[in-house]
Amino acid sequence: MADRNDRERLEEFIAQLQSQSGLNPLKYERMLAELHATQPLDGHDSEGRRQIAFFDAKQYDLNSFSARNDDSFQLIAIESPLNEQTASAAAGCKVVCIFVNDEAHESVIARLAELGVELIALRCAGFNNVDLEACRKYGISVVRVPAYSPHAVAEHTVALMLMLNRHLHQAYLRNRAGAFILDGLTGFDMHGKTVGVIGTGKIGQCVVEILTGFGCHVLAYDVHENPEVASLPQTKYVDLDELLSHSDVITLHVPLFEETYHLINQETIARMKPGVMLINTSRGGLVETVSLIDGLKTGQIGYAGLDVYEEEAGIFFHDISNQVLDDDVLARLMTFNNVVITSHQAFLTNEALDNIAETTYANIEEYFAGKRGTELTHHVG
């Protein structure tokens, strides 16, 4: 009983610390690490629950993970993202759970290994923010959630298309201000338009299925063709040049690798149809933002819908409403009335959050059952 009371007192004290404002972030993380260092070092708490250092914790994450927790796990919620300054907060844990903007570079991996961490559990599909070579070097396994809800991202993608096309963002703001006028809000029928879908995995396939329902003609491009996509009506695979030059709308659904970094750049934008709509709900680094801005200024790009941004870390998922936005590129991008930016929320549905929690816990269960590396079902690297 004494152990339980001690643990409860510790958690209450940590919660009080987190509620304080004005604390120096580095000092706070050091204090948190020292507190957690007093816990058992085998990855379990005093009641035998498996501990997870849960970085970049948001309330919607904690809600979905708590709902799936059968009291086998203790989530140590760390509001800050994982980086060199915050890695020490994982002290006492064998597992860290991270998201898209956490930094798992070699120096961070080395620190985690020093603390005894043996598993990085990504609660997302992408893993470009993890140095896999460093993980192999330090003996840390990496797992991910390869598919949580492709429908969530696909539906958000099409929502951006419709919002831009029918100027819904402008109409909403006008009406709120009492200007019930239609000038400048003319859109176009999606039916019969040609949409280029770059990347035809699970999400890309869902996007194609929705678009064919609208009566669109779909041009698909992928290094590995998906036979299910190829069999859909009014859909055909083409090379990238043909897709760029013939599409009225282009949407990106490829992972971020060295080969796809800045796939959309000055050269590829120049090959697009004038006035094209560009949608990116995949990874920010696929688009060279400065070139995108140039394209918007000249009218080569007529609309842009972005759920991701290549320098989003430290901005997206944070409330900076009382601060000056010091990212000049993003600030310039937000001045265009034909641009809609959402802050990496395409995944954010109840179904997706539940699937993420379920798969992440299953990944961690496998680790505690003794599996390592390639033995893990959803391993990376």
Side-chain angles (χ1 to χ4, degrees):
M1 187 66 176
D3 286 343
R4 180 176 177 81
N5 289 338
D6 287 344
R7 177 178 57 76
E8 289 177 345
R9 282 194 291 271
L10 175 62
E11 291 178 352
E12 182 181 349
F13 180 59
I14 290 172
Q16 290 173 350
L17 271 181
Q18 291 176 328
S19 68
Q20 299 299 310
S21 59
L23 286 177
N24 179 285
L26 296 182
K27 183 179 292 186
Y28 165 73
E29 296 298 346
R30 283 198 298 270
M31 292 170 64
L32 190 62
E34 290 173 7
L35 287 169
H36 288 314
T38 65
Q39 299 298 293
L41 297 179
D42 65 349
H44 295 74
D45 69 3
S46 58
E47 292 190 341
R49 296 182 301 179
R50 289 157 284 189
Q51 294 179 303
I52 304 170
F54 200 91
F55 283 91
D56 205 10
K58 299 294 186 289
Q59 194 57 52
Y60 49 80
D61 286 319
L62 297 175
N63 289 345
S64 59
F65 273 77
S66 295
R68 277 282 177 179
N69 190 359
D70 61 359
D71 208 35
S72 298
F73 300 94
Q74 181 196 24
L75 296 180
I76 299 173
I78 303 162
E79 292 186 13
S80 303
L82 174 65
N83 54 44
E84 288 187 58
Q85 289 72 42
T86 64
S88 295
C93 297
K94 294 292 186 183
V95 178
V96 299
C97 184
I98 66 174
F99 198 49
V100 293
N101 288 327
D102 292 281
E103 298 176 5
H105 308 319
E106 181 168 9
S107 57
V108 177
I109 299 299
R111 178 58 179 148
L112 292 177
E114 184 180 304
L115 293 168
V117 171
E118 296 180 357
L119 180 71
I120 293 175
L122 288 150
R123 54 185 189 273
C124 54
F127 50 90
N128 55 284
N129 56 328
V130 179
D131 187 332
L132 297 179
E133 185 175 342
C135 288
R136 287 189 288 270
K137 175 181 175 181
Y138 289 99
I140 294 178
S141 299
V142 183
V143 289
R144 64 176 182 140
V145 182
Y148 33 91
S149 176
H151 300 285
V153 181
E155 289 168 10
H156 191 84
T157 298
V158 177
L160 287 174
M161 293 180 191
L162 295 175
M163 177 171 279
L164 286 162
N165 171 17
R166 303 307 298 269
H167 309 281
L168 300 180
H169 55 302
Q170 294 172 284
Y172 173 78
L173 293 174
R174 283 187 190 183
N175 292 351
R176 290 276 293 182
F180 297 94
I181 57 175
L182 301 181
D183 301 278
L185 302 183
T186 304
F188 56 83
D189 287 358
M190 290 292 289
H191 185 276
K193 294 300 182 291
T194 299
V195 182
V197 179
I198 301 178
T200 55
K202 294 181 183 298
I203 295 172
Q205 179 177 337
C206 286
V207 170
V208 176
E209 290 170 349
I210 295 171
L211 292 172
T212 55
F214 276 108
C216 297
H217 301 284
V218 176
L219 300 179
Y221 170 79
D222 203 316
V223 291
H224 302 291
E225 294 188 7
N226 181 340
E228 292 187 46
V229 170
S231 68
L232 292 170
Q234 300 187 126
T235 300
K236 68 173 181 176
Y237 276 95
V238 297
D239 61 32
L240 186 58
D241 278 338
E242 183 175 347
L243 184 149
L244 293 173
S245 61
H246 287 84
S247 297
D248 302 300
V249 179
I250 295 173
T251 180
L252 308 178
H253 302 286
V254 293
L256 180 60
F257 296 129
E258 185 177 346
E259 310 84 67
T260 58
Y261 177 70
H262 283 179
L263 175 67
I264 304 302
N265 53 49
Q266 186 176 14
E267 180 187 348
T268 51
I269 290 172
R271 286 160 26 210
M272 296 177 187
K273 289 179 67 173
V276 67
M277 179 188 291
L278 179 68
I279 305 292
N280 185 13
T281 57
S282 187
R283 287 291 180 265
L286 299 175
V287 177
E288 186 178 38
T289 315
V290 173
S291 295
L292 172 62
I293 290 172
D294 289 341
L296 287 162
K297 288 165 62 177
T298 63
Q300 178 68 8
I301 294 179
Y303 321 75
L306 308 174
D307 187 55
V308 288
Y309 168 59
E310 58 182 329
E311 300 296 335
E312 69 181 53
I315 301 175
F316 287 9
F317 307 119
H318 299 278
D319 182 0
I320 60 169
S321 57
N322 62 346
Q323 303 173 32
V324 173
L325 178 60
D326 59 5
D327 186 317
D328 293 341
V329 176
L330 180 58
R332 179 70 178 97
L333 192 60
M334 292 176 66
T335 64
F336 293 94
N337 61 11
N338 56 345
V339 172
V340 170
I341 299 173
T342 52
S343 53
H344 212 132
Q345 73 174 81
F347 76 98
L348 196 62
T349 66
N350 292 324
E351 293 82 359
L353 290 171
D354 182 61
N355 290 338
I356 288 169
E358 181 182 24
T359 302
T360 301
Y361 278 139
N363 288 338
I364 296 170
E365 289 272 14
E366 287 190 338
Y367 158 77
F368 278 105
K371 293 185 178 181
R372 299 291 185 271
T374 57
E375 298 173 335
L376 294 157
T377 302
H378 299 306
H379 75 278
V380 179

